[in-house]
Amino acid sequence: MPPAPGDRAARREDVSEAVWRTLAAKGFGGLTLRAVATEMGVSTGMLMHYFPTKRALVAHALDVLEKRTANRPRRGRPAEGLPALRAVLLDILPLTPDDTARNRVWVSSWDLALADEGLGADQAGRYTRMRALLRPHLEAARHLGQLPAAVDPERLAATAVAFVHGLVVQALFDPERFPEDVQTSMVDGFLRGLTADVPPSSPH
Amino acid sequence: MPPAPGDRAARREDVSEAVWRTLAAKGFGGLTLRAVATEMGVSTGMLMHYFPTKRALVAHALDVLEKRTANRPRRGRPAEGLPALRAVLLDILPLTPDDTARNRVWVSSWDLALADEGLGADQAGRYTRMRALLRPHLEAARHLGQLPAAVDPERLAATAVAFVHGLVVQALFDPERFPEDVQTSMVDGFLRGLTADVPPSSPH
């Protein structure tokens, strides 16, 4: 007798959870059918009903990562301009165990993405969307006089993405050196710095 | 007859070159005995004389990466303070094909390092040394009046490392969006920003 649809959905959820726990512990380099099967306490053969190939497993893992990132809890966006940008940046950083696990898996995925043209293009697109997400806050900050009129919102968005992702990596490798208050004060210092990031020839 | 010592050294150099080309093309995720053997046009069995295990191959690859990074050509350090810091940051970025290949392999190594306690500690140590390398330039900049007296060189060093590594990752995934002049102008903007990264309560 085939399993009832509810069972099948529950089992699918179990598989996704096991894939996630494997990723969070071992990254994409350690994501194998055997590791996920061990995590679930089932046979590799059973798991091959879900993932006939390694590629299918990786595709599912990337899908879980995207969904978890899209559905993560976020800070409110109470104010316009730099305070809103601050909230966006803090939402990216590894400040909680869940945020840390998700960032750890993203950083791990870069190895895969750099070696695969399609995945690399996906990641480039993700960066383009991140910059597009930050840019309106920078434009609002300029409009509100929080930033000088001469700033370049597109360049500042790329600089902010660079800063926040580089901080993610440093903090993942040395969490004791980068607790929440240190990461937060670095974000605040960085935001103050944006006010001076103006080409020297520009009038302001 | 065993090969002459000179032959053996030359063969060892060939192996290192093949390991490097494999890494630059496929990252650590694609570093296998078979891939290196294919790159060299030899059998996997031959290569097992050099690397009896996958772990030995990875250890050698990390060693090649460290050596290439240590021996890379660097800009002169003509001036003190922020101009010297600028040269250090530009030396890190993927501005040439060799710099790009090296950065690509470093980013790929983070997956491995996040999954291995010893390699993770090595990477944390590398970040500590990077901050220690930048800090004297920030202290000199403060001493020379290029930065306000109230800046915190240790925090700024961590911020600069974050910015430059995050820019490395963005530029690797989207080299057309981040040619040399864009990366350079982002560094210059970031350095101007450091002058405003001062806690608001500090007198300056």
Side-chain angles (χ1 to χ4, degrees), chain A residues 68-94:
Chain A
R68 287 199 167 234
T69 303
N71 298 332
R72 74 189 193 276
R74 286 184 173 81
R75 283 163 184 74
R77 302 275 182 270
E80 282 187 287
L82 293 186
L85 178 63
R86 179 179 190 272
V88 176
L89 296 182
L90 291 178
D91 276 347
I92 295 170
L93 289 169

PDB file of all heavy atoms in Angstrom, chain A residues 68-94:
ATOM      1  N   ARG A  68      14.437  29.142   3.097  1.00  0.00           N
ATOM      2  CA  ARG A  68      14.721  29.550   4.475  1.00  0.00           C
ATOM      3  C   ARG A  68      15.150  31.009   4.535  1.00  0.00           C
ATOM      4  O   ARG A  68      14.873  31.725   5.489  1.00  0.00           O
ATOM      5  CB  ARG A  68      15.811  28.669   5.074  1.00  0.00           C
ATOM      6  CG  ARG A  68      15.306  27.275   5.382  1.00  0.00           C
ATOM      7  CD  ARG A  68      16.219  26.575   6.364  1.00  0.00           C
ATOM      8  NE  ARG A  68      15.567  25.384   6.870  1.00  0.00           N
ATOM      9  CZ  ARG A  68      15.387  25.117   8.162  1.00  0.00           C
ATOM     10  NH1 ARG A  68      15.834  25.953   9.074  1.00  0.00           N
ATOM     11  NH2 ARG A  68      14.762  24.034   8.540  1.00  0.00           N
ATOM     12  N   THR A  69      15.889  31.434   3.512  1.00  0.00           N
ATOM     13  CA  THR A  69      16.337  32.830   3.473  1.00  0.00           C
ATOM     14  C   THR A  69      15.147  33.754   3.228  1.00  0.00           C
ATOM     15  O   THR A  69      15.002  34.789   3.899  1.00  0.00           O
ATOM     16  CB  THR A  69      17.408  33.000   2.374  1.00  0.00           C
ATOM     17  OG1 THR A  69      18.483  32.100   2.646  1.00  0.00           O
ATOM     18  CG2 THR A  69      17.937  34.420   2.344  1.00  0.00           C
ATOM     19  N   ALA A  70      14.281  33.373   2.292  1.00  0.00           N
ATOM     20  CA  ALA A  70      13.120  34.220   1.975  1.00  0.00           C
ATOM     21  C   ALA A  70      12.167  34.317   3.166  1.00  0.00           C
ATOM     22  O   ALA A  70      11.565  35.373   3.401  1.00  0.00           O
ATOM     23  CB  ALA A  70      12.380  33.631   0.758  1.00  0.00           C
ATOM     24  N   ASN A  71      12.041  33.216   3.925  1.00  0.00           N
ATOM     25  CA  ASN A  71      11.055  33.178   5.010  1.00  0.00           C
ATOM     26  C   ASN A  71      11.627  33.519   6.380  1.00  0.00           C
ATOM     27  O   ASN A  71      10.959  33.330   7.386  1.00  0.00           O
ATOM     28  CB  ASN A  71      10.427  31.776   5.084  1.00  0.00           C
ATOM     29  CG  ASN A  71       9.694  31.436   3.808  1.00  0.00           C
ATOM     30  OD1 ASN A  71       9.200  32.321   3.111  1.00  0.00           O
ATOM     31  ND2 ASN A  71       9.642  30.157   3.477  1.00  0.00           N
ATOM     32  N   ARG A  72      12.871  33.999   6.433  1.00  0.00           N
ATOM     33  CA  ARG A  72      13.458  34.267   7.743  1.00  0.00           C
ATOM     34  C   ARG A  72      12.747  35.446   8.406  1.00  0.00           C
ATOM     35  O   ARG A  72      12.216  36.334   7.714  1.00  0.00           O
ATOM     36  CB  ARG A  72      14.945  34.553   7.614  1.00  0.00           C
ATOM     37  CG  ARG A  72      15.279  35.922   7.023  1.00  0.00           C
ATOM     38  CD  ARG A  72      16.773  36.002   6.749  1.00  0.00           C
ATOM     39  NE  ARG A  72      17.250  37.347   6.479  1.00  0.00           N
ATOM     40  CZ  ARG A  72      17.208  37.942   5.305  1.00  0.00           C
ATOM     41  NH1 ARG A  72      16.637  37.339   4.268  1.00  0.00           N
ATOM     42  NH2 ARG A  72      17.693  39.160   5.153  1.00  0.00           N
ATOM     43  N   PRO A  73      12.720  35.479   9.742  1.00  0.00           N
ATOM     44  CA  PRO A  73      12.136  36.648  10.410  1.00  0.00           C
ATOM     45  C   PRO A  73      12.992  37.880  10.135  1.00  0.00           C
ATOM     46  O   PRO A  73      14.212  37.788  10.019  1.00  0.00           O
ATOM     47  CB  PRO A  73      12.188  36.266  11.899  1.00  0.00           C
ATOM     48  CG  PRO A  73      13.180  35.164  12.014  1.00  0.00           C
ATOM     49  CD  PRO A  73      13.245  34.476  10.684  1.00  0.00           C
ATOM     50  N   ARG A  74      12.318  39.019   9.990  1.00  0.00           N
ATOM     51  CA  ARG A  74      13.048  40.260   9.709  1.00  0.00           C
ATOM     52  C   ARG A  74      12.661  41.339  10.706  1.00  0.00           C
ATOM     53  O   ARG A  74      11.555  41.328  11.230  1.00  0.00           O
ATOM     54  CB  ARG A  74      12.728  40.766   8.301  1.00  0.00           C
ATOM     55  CG  ARG A  74      13.365  39.977   7.192  1.00  0.00           C
ATOM     56  CD  ARG A  74      13.050  40.621   5.850  1.00  0.00           C
ATOM     57  NE  ARG A  74      13.758  40.001   4.739  1.00  0.00           N
ATOM     58  CZ  ARG A  74      13.380  38.878   4.139  1.00  0.00           C
ATOM     59  NH1 ARG A  74      12.306  38.235   4.547  1.00  0.00           N
ATOM     60  NH2 ARG A  74      14.072  38.392   3.142  1.00  0.00           N
ATOM     61  N   ARG A  75      13.597  42.240  10.938  1.00  0.00           N
ATOM     62  CA  ARG A  75      13.299  43.424  11.745  1.00  0.00           C
ATOM     63  C   ARG A  75      12.223  44.275  11.066  1.00  0.00           C
ATOM     64  O   ARG A  75      12.110  44.261   9.839  1.00  0.00           O
ATOM     65  CB  ARG A  75      14.546  44.303  11.882  1.00  0.00           C
ATOM     66  CG  ARG A  75      15.536  43.767  12.878  1.00  0.00           C
ATOM     67  CD  ARG A  75      16.889  44.389  12.715  1.00  0.00           C
ATOM     68  NE  ARG A  75      17.809  43.751  13.648  1.00  0.00           N
ATOM     69  CZ  ARG A  75      18.306  42.526  13.508  1.00  0.00           C
ATOM     70  NH1 ARG A  75      18.010  41.807  12.457  1.00  0.00           N
ATOM     71  NH2 ARG A  75      19.108  42.019  14.426  1.00  0.00           N
ATOM     72  N   GLY A  76      11.485  45.052  11.856  1.00  0.00           N
ATOM     73  CA  GLY A  76      10.606  46.048  11.265  1.00  0.00           C
ATOM     74  C   GLY A  76      11.424  47.094  10.519  1.00  0.00           C
ATOM     75  O   GLY A  76      12.629  47.215  10.735  1.00  0.00           O
ATOM     76  N   ARG A  77      10.785  47.782   9.581  1.00  0.00           N
ATOM     77  CA  ARG A  77      11.478  48.863   8.855  1.00  0.00           C
ATOM     78  C   ARG A  77      10.823  50.171   9.267  1.00  0.00           C
ATOM     79  O   ARG A  77      10.017  50.735   8.525  1.00  0.00           O
ATOM     80  CB  ARG A  77      11.339  48.691   7.343  1.00  0.00           C
ATOM     81  CG  ARG A  77      11.863  47.368   6.809  1.00  0.00           C
ATOM     82  CD  ARG A  77      13.353  47.427   6.548  1.00  0.00           C
ATOM     83  NE  ARG A  77      13.838  46.165   5.988  1.00  0.00           N
ATOM     84  CZ  ARG A  77      14.276  45.137   6.723  1.00  0.00           C
ATOM     85  NH1 ARG A  77      14.291  45.211   8.033  1.00  0.00           N
ATOM     86  NH2 ARG A  77      14.715  44.054   6.136  1.00  0.00           N
ATOM     87  N   PRO A  78      11.156  50.643  10.463  1.00  0.00           N
ATOM     88  CA  PRO A  78      10.383  51.731  11.036  1.00  0.00           C
ATOM     89  C   PRO A  78      10.674  53.089  10.398  1.00  0.00           C
ATOM     90  O   PRO A  78       9.820  53.955  10.409  1.00  0.00           O
ATOM     91  CB  PRO A  78      10.825  51.742  12.501  1.00  0.00           C
ATOM     92  CG  PRO A  78      12.214  51.173  12.467  1.00  0.00           C
ATOM     93  CD  PRO A  78      12.284  50.254  11.292  1.00  0.00           C
ATOM     94  N   ALA A  79      11.847  53.271   9.848  1.00  0.00           N
ATOM     95  CA  ALA A  79      12.216  54.624   9.427  1.00  0.00           C
ATOM     96  C   ALA A  79      12.759  54.588   8.014  1.00  0.00           C
ATOM     97  O   ALA A  79      13.059  53.532   7.473  1.00  0.00           O
ATOM     98  CB  ALA A  79      13.264  55.182  10.373  1.00  0.00           C
ATOM     99  N   GLU A  80      12.855  55.722   7.428  1.00  0.00           N
ATOM    100  CA  GLU A  80      13.360  55.823   6.061  1.00  0.00           C
ATOM    101  C   GLU A  80      14.863  56.091   6.054  1.00  0.00           C
ATOM    102  O   GLU A  80      15.426  56.607   7.017  1.00  0.00           O
ATOM    103  CB  GLU A  80      12.674  56.989   5.359  1.00  0.00           C
ATOM    104  CG  GLU A  80      11.270  56.677   4.887  1.00  0.00           C
ATOM    105  CD  GLU A  80      10.738  57.823   4.053  1.00  0.00           C
ATOM    106  OE1 GLU A  80      10.414  58.878   4.636  1.00  0.00           O
ATOM    107  OE2 GLU A  80      10.684  57.654   2.828  1.00  0.00           O
ATOM    108  N   GLY A  81      15.475  55.792   4.932  1.00  0.00           N
ATOM    109  CA  GLY A  81      16.872  56.154   4.745  1.00  0.00           C
ATOM    110  C   GLY A  81      17.813  55.266   5.535  1.00  0.00           C
ATOM    111  O   GLY A  81      17.645  54.048   5.577  1.00  0.00           O
ATOM    112  N   LEU A  82      18.820  55.872   6.157  1.00  0.00           N
ATOM    113  CA  LEU A  82      19.873  55.098   6.821  1.00  0.00           C
ATOM    114  C   LEU A  82      19.360  54.157   7.912  1.00  0.00           C
ATOM    115  O   LEU A  82      19.849  53.029   8.029  1.00  0.00           O
ATOM    116  CB  LEU A  82      20.971  56.029   7.370  1.00  0.00           C
ATOM    117  CG  LEU A  82      21.806  56.765   6.313  1.00  0.00           C
ATOM    118  CD1 LEU A  82      22.943  57.547   6.972  1.00  0.00           C
ATOM    119  CD2 LEU A  82      22.376  55.803   5.266  1.00  0.00           C
ATOM    120  N   PRO A  83      18.373  54.565   8.757  1.00  0.00           N
ATOM    121  CA  PRO A  83      17.869  53.592   9.744  1.00  0.00           C
ATOM    122  C   PRO A  83      17.270  52.351   9.078  1.00  0.00           C
ATOM    123  O   PRO A  83      17.417  51.238   9.597  1.00  0.00           O
ATOM    124  CB  PRO A  83      16.803  54.392  10.515  1.00  0.00           C
ATOM    125  CG  PRO A  83      17.200  55.817  10.343  1.00  0.00           C
ATOM    126  CD  PRO A  83      17.806  55.901   8.966  1.00  0.00           C
ATOM    127  N   ALA A  84      16.603  52.530   7.949  1.00  0.00           N
ATOM    128  CA  ALA A  84      16.050  51.370   7.243  1.00  0.00           C
ATOM    129  C   ALA A  84      17.178  50.509   6.670  1.00  0.00           C
ATOM    130  O   ALA A  84      17.142  49.277   6.741  1.00  0.00           O
ATOM    131  CB  ALA A  84      15.116  51.829   6.129  1.00  0.00           C
ATOM    132  N   LEU A  85      18.196  51.169   6.112  1.00  0.00           N
ATOM    133  CA  LEU A  85      19.352  50.434   5.589  1.00  0.00           C
ATOM    134  C   LEU A  85      20.021  49.650   6.709  1.00  0.00           C
ATOM    135  O   LEU A  85      20.409  48.486   6.537  1.00  0.00           O
ATOM    136  CB  LEU A  85      20.348  51.421   4.965  1.00  0.00           C
ATOM    137  CG  LEU A  85      21.644  50.811   4.423  1.00  0.00           C
ATOM    138  CD1 LEU A  85      21.357  49.841   3.278  1.00  0.00           C
ATOM    139  CD2 LEU A  85      22.615  51.904   3.960  1.00  0.00           C
ATOM    140  N   ARG A  86      20.131  50.273   7.880  1.00  0.00           N
ATOM    141  CA  ARG A  86      20.724  49.609   9.050  1.00  0.00           C
ATOM    142  C   ARG A  86      19.959  48.310   9.371  1.00  0.00           C
ATOM    143  O   ARG A  86      20.570  47.263   9.614  1.00  0.00           O
ATOM    144  CB  ARG A  86      20.671  50.564  10.248  1.00  0.00           C
ATOM    145  CG  ARG A  86      21.236  50.000  11.533  1.00  0.00           C
ATOM    146  CD  ARG A  86      21.150  51.059  12.642  1.00  0.00           C
ATOM    147  NE  ARG A  86      21.878  50.660  13.826  1.00  0.00           N
ATOM    148  CZ  ARG A  86      21.363  49.936  14.820  1.00  0.00           C
ATOM    149  NH1 ARG A  86      20.120  49.530  14.761  1.00  0.00           N
ATOM    150  NH2 ARG A  86      22.107  49.611  15.873  1.00  0.00           N
ATOM    151  N   ALA A  87      18.631  48.385   9.350  1.00  0.00           N
ATOM    152  CA  ALA A  87      17.824  47.191   9.651  1.00  0.00           C
ATOM    153  C   ALA A  87      18.061  46.096   8.609  1.00  0.00           C
ATOM    154  O   ALA A  87      18.175  44.910   8.949  1.00  0.00           O
ATOM    155  CB  ALA A  87      16.346  47.564   9.711  1.00  0.00           C
ATOM    156  N   VAL A  88      18.162  46.480   7.338  1.00  0.00           N
ATOM    157  CA  VAL A  88      18.421  45.488   6.281  1.00  0.00           C
ATOM    158  C   VAL A  88      19.780  44.811   6.506  1.00  0.00           C
ATOM    159  O   VAL A  88      19.902  43.579   6.408  1.00  0.00           O
ATOM    160  CB  VAL A  88      18.379  46.144   4.881  1.00  0.00           C
ATOM    161  CG1 VAL A  88      18.755  45.138   3.802  1.00  0.00           C
ATOM    162  CG2 VAL A  88      16.987  46.715   4.593  1.00  0.00           C
ATOM    163  N   LEU A  89      20.793  45.614   6.816  1.00  0.00           N
ATOM    164  CA  LEU A  89      22.135  45.040   7.007  1.00  0.00           C
ATOM    165  C   LEU A  89      22.157  44.118   8.223  1.00  0.00           C
ATOM    166  O   LEU A  89      22.739  43.024   8.180  1.00  0.00           O
ATOM    167  CB  LEU A  89      23.181  46.154   7.152  1.00  0.00           C
ATOM    168  CG  LEU A  89      23.370  47.060   5.928  1.00  0.00           C
ATOM    169  CD1 LEU A  89      24.473  48.084   6.198  1.00  0.00           C
ATOM    170  CD2 LEU A  89      23.707  46.262   4.670  1.00  0.00           C
ATOM    171  N   LEU A  90      21.528  44.545   9.321  1.00  0.00           N
ATOM    172  CA  LEU A  90      21.505  43.699  10.526  1.00  0.00           C
ATOM    173  C   LEU A  90      20.763  42.387  10.260  1.00  0.00           C
ATOM    174  O   LEU A  90      21.118  41.352  10.819  1.00  0.00           O
ATOM    175  CB  LEU A  90      20.870  44.450  11.698  1.00  0.00           C
ATOM    176  CG  LEU A  90      21.685  45.625  12.251  1.00  0.00           C
ATOM    177  CD1 LEU A  90      20.917  46.321  13.374  1.00  0.00           C
ATOM    178  CD2 LEU A  90      23.062  45.184  12.764  1.00  0.00           C
ATOM    179  N   ASP A  91      19.746  42.430   9.401  1.00  0.00           N
ATOM    180  CA  ASP A  91      19.008  41.202   9.057  1.00  0.00           C
ATOM    181  C   ASP A  91      19.863  40.196   8.292  1.00  0.00           C
ATOM    182  O   ASP A  91      19.517  39.015   8.221  1.00  0.00           O
ATOM    183  CB  ASP A  91      17.781  41.539   8.190  1.00  0.00           C
ATOM    184  CG  ASP A  91      16.581  41.944   9.033  1.00  0.00           C
ATOM    185  OD1 ASP A  91      16.624  41.717  10.258  1.00  0.00           O
ATOM    186  OD2 ASP A  91      15.613  42.472   8.464  1.00  0.00           O
ATOM    187  N   ILE A  92      20.931  40.667   7.674  1.00  0.00           N
ATOM    188  CA  ILE A  92      21.805  39.760   6.918  1.00  0.00           C
ATOM    189  C   ILE A  92      22.836  39.090   7.822  1.00  0.00           C
ATOM    190  O   ILE A  92      23.220  37.942   7.596  1.00  0.00           O
ATOM    191  CB  ILE A  92      22.516  40.542   5.776  1.00  0.00           C
ATOM    192  CG1 ILE A  92      21.489  41.029   4.749  1.00  0.00           C
ATOM    193  CG2 ILE A  92      23.604  39.702   5.113  1.00  0.00           C
ATOM    194  CD1 ILE A  92      22.024  42.004   3.721  1.00  0.00           C
ATOM    195  N   LEU A  93      23.262  39.767   8.869  1.00  0.00           N
ATOM    196  CA  LEU A  93      24.411  39.304   9.665  1.00  0.00           C
ATOM    197  C   LEU A  93      24.098  38.075  10.528  1.00  0.00           C
ATOM    198  O   LEU A  93      22.936  37.840  10.886  1.00  0.00           O
ATOM    199  CB  LEU A  93      24.904  40.456  10.536  1.00  0.00           C
ATOM    200  CG  LEU A  93      25.594  41.577   9.751  1.00  0.00           C
ATOM    201  CD1 LEU A  93      25.823  42.795  10.638  1.00  0.00           C
ATOM    202  CD2 LEU A  93      26.920  41.085   9.177  1.00  0.00           C
ATOM    203  N   PRO A  94      25.134  37.308  10.885  1.00  0.00           N
ATOM    204  CA  PRO A  94      24.948  36.106  11.721  1.00  0.00           C
ATOM    205  C   PRO A  94      24.835  36.482  13.198  1.00  0.00           C
ATOM    206  O   PRO A  94      25.761  36.257  13.969  1.00  0.00           O
ATOM    207  CB  PRO A  94      26.211  35.281  11.432  1.00  0.00           C
ATOM    208  CG  PRO A  94      27.249  36.258  11.027  1.00  0.00           C
ATOM    209  CD  PRO A  94      26.518  37.414  10.380  1.00  0.00           C
TER     210      PRO A  94
END
